[in-house]
Amino acid sequence: MSLHVPNKVKNLMWSACRNSLPTKQNLVHRKIIECPFCDHCKQVPKSTLHALWTCQALDVVWENEDLWSCRRNNFFMDFKELLSWFIKHQQNVELFFFTAWSVWTQQNQVRLNQLSYSSHLIASVAKERLEEFLVVQPPPWLCPLVVRS
């Protein structure tokens, strides 16, 4: 399966699958900080899966039941298992990638006190970014074959 998203988005997904994002849980493991708990829900350690998918603060991002019904209907051990499920079921993989990337970006902007989108806007912004990317960089299978003489 060929995924048509920017490299920065692929890189984030690769890092998430490798559990190498600087989440609070990973920073505690590396002895950089002491508290692994999520700043939003304060209930569980902020793992990659929690930061991008399961935190209750993300309910507004993943609320579209038609697109993300697996969030309520399935349990995933880690982000790699979640991503594998999306790929296996071919469920809006590119939109999932853009949305997860937008979640991570927004969380970092908030942490650094930078201008950011409200969590309520992340889903629509991610969809717009995907649509813009597809206009500028259409997938090869949609491009007409150019025959050069």
Side-chain angles (χ1 to χ4, degrees):
M1 171 181 212
S2 178
L3 296 173
H4 193 63
V5 296
N7 286 335
K8 66 182 180 181
V9 175
K10 288 179 188 176
N11 289 338
L12 179 77
M13 295 299 102
W14 182 84
S15 295
C17 287
R18 305 267 309 153
N19 196 29
S20 62
L21 293 178
T23 61
K24 290 187 91 174
Q25 186 176 49
N26 286 340
L27 294 173
V28 166
H29 179 73
R30 294 177 188 139
K31 300 186 184 336
I32 296 171
I33 63 172
E34 292 182 11
C35 179
F37 290 99
C38 175
D39 291 332
H40 299 289
C41 69
K42 299 177 183 7
Q43 297 176 0
V44 296
K46 188 174 183 178
S47 65
T48 301
L49 183 65
H50 184 79
L52 298 175
W53 183 251
T54 61
C55 182
Q56 292 173 353
L58 299 176
D59 288 350
V60 298
V61 175
W62 304 110
E63 68 186 354
N64 185 330
E65 283 295 319
D66 293 333
L67 290 174
W68 316 119
S69 63
C70 64
R71 187 165 187 256
R72 298 280 181 243
N73 301 331
N74 297 299
F75 174 78
F76 302 101
M77 294 294 295
D78 57 23
F79 191 81
K80 185 176 179 179
E81 185 179 25
L82 168 65
L83 188 55
S84 295
W85 186 93
F86 271 99
I87 292 170
K88 179 181 176 184
H89 293 90
Q90 297 181 351
Q91 298 289 315
N92 304 297
V93 179
E94 283 88 359
L95 183 56
F96 172 74
F97 272 39
F98 266 89
T99 306
W101 182 86
S102 297
V103 166
W104 184 255
T105 300
Q106 188 259 5
Q107 289 175 0
N108 283 315
Q109 289 168 332
V110 168
R111 181 180 55 82
L112 296 171
N113 294 315
Q114 296 176 345
L115 188 60
S116 65
Y117 292 105
S118 161
S119 296
H120 292 84
L121 297 175
I122 291 175
S124 60
V125 168
K127 185 177 180 191
E128 289 172 13
R129 285 183 176 160
L130 174 58
E131 290 168 354
E132 288 172 10
F133 177 74
L134 293 175
V135 167
V136 175
Q137 298 283 329
W141 56 88
L142 293 181
C143 296
L145 182 59
V146 176
V147 178
R148 297 178 191 233
S149 49

